[in-house]
Amino acid sequence: MEAAAPEGAEPGSGGGSGAEEPVVSLAEVLAENEELEKEARAVLGGSDHERCSYSQGAVKRQALYACSTCTPPGAEPAGICLACSYECHGTHRLFELYTKRNFRCDCGNSKFKNLQCKLLPEKGKVNAGNKYNDNFYGLYCTCKRPYPDPEDEIPDEMIQCIVCEDWFHGRHLGAVPPESGDFHEMVCQACMKHCHFLWAYASQLAVPPLTKVNSLEDEGIVLKIEESEEQKKEIKKESGVEHQDTKEEKQTEQFNEPSTSSGSACPEVVTKSEEPVCKLKELQSKPFLKKDTATFWPSNWRSKLCTCEDCLKMYSDLEVQFLTDECDTVLAYENKGTSDQETERRDPLMDTLNSMNRVQQVELICEYNDLKTELTDYLRRFADEGTVVKREDIQHFFEEFQSRKRRRTNRMQYYCS
């Protein structure tokens, strides 16, 4: 991300080099900050920041952290819940793991040699059901690098696989990811090999990746292109089945029909199918091509997976039963967290305003605007100097603010009418 010049700075000023420095307005800074806060509320809103989640067992999905201070490389990997990250590891170096499924908080168990959980001291020695990967040591992707990576100067987004829940650089997925708004979930290369049955669905449901055209690659231009005739012949050759137009069209209609599930409400997890025909077998009887790439999937694609008895057994054997559960998605978790916070959160300023008369409301709003302006100007100095804001700095600001407020009040004269 490019560094932004302070508000009001003249383009190209400060160095004499003639190069224009990017300038952003306070409105843009506030808008970006609001967006970051919105994302944080979505991720953290579904997790309890006051109570350790250990008593809930393996939580279906929650925000997790790994403590590099307590479990450095070479030690056993461990994950801690949101509340423990605040209460037990507030001064430690933490790796933010975003969210993980079916995980029980490890804080204070046998993996932590010199730390006892302050919220729930009595815990089992280990959580046998937890799954760990290199993320718990701050390493991601097939390249096993940290994020952000100080040695990586290539701008690239990180995408989480919904199966293994590792994070991957877009350029390390074997295919160029579609635009971020065109797909909702990704399955990495290794997990596509593990869940090989998904290739049959990919031909009907997956969002096609972008394809770089060699002559335009240097210019960074990416185009979507159709499959060539050679690719289509390769698909037929691999499947060994002739193309049947009528059945293919019927099948396409079946998989493209609108889903009955919504983004905010999750349907019940299907445990038994009422359909006599296996969707997967129908798809596997048609031409499809396996590739050594990740795949990208639209919203509600999980609802179109077959749930016959044979397929449910296959999901269980592969330990991917969650694929038929739309409440497992990160989007469903974020929507729930946002909804819960909107329901529970009350605006103290609005509550106070509603209890006042008109004159008091105007006075309070003016005081609030003064505080906001002065605090913004005060904090900007720290940003310009590249220094850290400490607790005593904030205390000093509010002491000075109250002192100025008292001086203004003492100078005012009051008259009785």
Side-chain angles (χ1 to χ4, degrees):
M1 182 181 292
E2 293 182 340
E7 184 186 14
E10 293 294 327
S13 64
S17 60
E20 293 188 356
E21 298 180 5
V23 179
V24 294
S25 67
L26 180 57
E28 291 173 325
V29 172
L30 293 175
E32 182 180 358
N33 184 64
E34 175 62 26
E35 184 61 29
L36 292 174
E37 287 183 359
K38 182 179 178 182
E39 293 177 5
R41 287 197 301 269
V43 174
L44 303 181
S47 300
D48 194 328
H49 66 282
E50 295 180 341
R51 290 177 288 272
C52 176
S53 64
Y54 180 84
S55 59
Q56 302 175 41
V59 179
K60 191 169 187 177
R61 182 171 291 282
Q62 64 176 315
L64 282 184
Y65 299 81
C67 182
S68 177
T69 305
C70 295
T71 55
E76 291 186 81
I80 59 177
C81 69
L82 177 63
C84 287
S85 74
Y86 293 152
E87 186 66 26
C88 308
H89 305 264
T91 59
H92 297 180
R93 185 185 176 214
L94 300 178
F95 296 126
E96 184 176 1
L97 304 179
Y98 200 54
T99 71
K100 300 285 185 184
R101 68 167 63 88
N102 299 331
F103 199 94
R104 194 172 195 183
C105 180
D106 285 322
C107 180
N109 67 13
S110 61
K111 296 185 175 185
F112 294 81
K113 305 303 182 185
N114 302 311
L115 180 138
Q116 185 179 52
C117 180
K118 298 178 182 179
L119 298 176
L120 281 177
E122 300 298 327
K123 292 183 178 178
K125 292 185 177 180
V126 293
N127 296 312
N130 287 355
K131 293 185 178 180
Y132 307 89
N133 58 19
D134 287 326
N135 294 175
F136 290 81
Y137 298 117
L139 303 176
Y140 307 89
C141 190
T142 55
C143 59
K144 306 302 179 187
R145 296 293 302 169
Y147 181 83
D149 187 349
E151 299 180 9
D152 185 6
E153 298 179 354
I154 302 175
D156 199 356
E157 65 176 337
M158 298 288 284
I159 307 173
Q160 188 180 34
C161 172
I162 61 154
V163 179
C164 67
E165 298 192 296
D166 195 358
W167 290 82
F168 296 84
H169 295 98
R171 64 185 185 274
H172 293 160
L173 292 172
V176 182
E179 295 295 329
S180 57
D182 293 343
F183 71 98
H184 284 256
E185 296 186 301
M186 181 272 290
V187 180
C188 72
Q189 293 162 279
C191 289
M192 283 303 296
K193 291 180 180 178
H194 177 67
C195 304
H196 51 86
F197 67 92
L198 286 178
W199 283 114
Y201 288 101
S203 61
Q204 295 290 332
L205 300 178
V207 178
L210 298 181
T211 305
K212 286 188 176 181
V213 180
N214 292 335
S215 60
L216 301 177
E217 187 171 357
D218 293 337
E219 299 179 14
I221 299 175
V222 179
L223 301 176
K224 290 183 179 179
I225 62 174
E226 300 293 333
E227 284 183 337
S228 65
E229 290 301 322
E230 289 76 10
Q231 286 177 311
K232 293 178 180 178
K233 290 178 181 179
E234 183 181 355
I235 294 175
K236 290 182 180 180
K237 181 179 179 181
E238 179 174 325
S239 65
V241 181
E242 292 297 325
H243 185 74
Q244 301 179 20
D245 291 336
T246 55
K247 292 184 179 179
E248 181 108 355
E249 289 175 3
K250 183 177 180 181
Q251 181 175 298
T252 302
E253 291 176 2
Q254 175 187 358
F255 280 89
N256 288 340
E257 62 187 9
S259 171
T260 56
S261 62
S262 63
S264 57
C266 294
E268 294 184 2
V269 181
V270 179
T271 57
K272 186 175 181 180
S273 174
E274 298 178 358
E275 299 180 14
V277 180
C278 177
K279 293 180 183 179
L280 178 60
K281 288 181 180 178
E282 286 189 357
L283 286 177
Q284 289 175 332
S285 69
K286 302 301 175 184
F288 68 91
L289 179 64
K290 294 182 181 179
K291 302 176 183 179
D292 186 21
T293 67
T295 52
F296 309 90
W297 303 84
S299 61
N300 298 327
W301 71 277
R302 298 188 187 207
S303 64
K304 297 179 174 62
L305 297 180
C306 183
T307 54
C308 71
E309 291 185 3
D310 289 342
C311 284
L312 290 177
K313 183 178 184 304
M314 175 184 65
Y315 303 147
S316 179
D317 293 341
L318 295 174
E319 298 184 341
V320 293
Q321 303 96 316
F322 53 82
L323 286 180
T324 59
D325 181 8
E326 290 196 63
C327 283
D328 171 77
T329 66
V330 174
L331 179 61
Y333 168 85
E334 291 181 346
N335 286 342
K336 184 180 184 303
T338 301
S339 176
D340 290 347
Q341 282 214 340
E342 290 298 327
T343 300
E344 297 174 1
R345 190 173 56 184
R346 295 175 59 87
D347 190 334
L349 178 60
M350 293 306 299
D351 288 344
T352 304
L353 284 174
N354 290 333
S355 66
M356 294 179 170
N357 60 41
R358 180 63 178 170
V359 175
Q360 291 172 325
Q361 288 177 351
V362 172
E363 290 177 349
L364 178 60
I365 291 173
C366 290
E367 289 289 344
Y368 173 78
N369 287 334
D370 288 343
L371 173 62
K372 183 177 178 180
T373 300
E374 292 189 30
L375 182 59
T376 300
D377 293 340
Y378 181 74
L379 294 178
R380 184 181 292 114
R381 280 182 272 162
F382 290 89
D384 294 345
E385 297 170 2
T387 55
V388 176
V389 183
K390 300 178 181 179
R391 180 189 295 269
E392 50 266 31
D393 296 323
I394 299 299
Q395 291 175 340
H396 175 73
F397 167 80
F398 281 103
E399 289 172 358
E400 288 292 318
F401 181 79
Q402 289 293 339
S403 178
R404 289 192 298 272
K405 180 181 176 181
R406 283 193 294 269
R407 288 197 297 270
R408 289 196 302 267
T409 303
N410 292 338
R411 288 197 301 268
M412 294 176 64
Q413 295 184 9
Y414 295 91
Y415 298 91
C416 295
S417 57

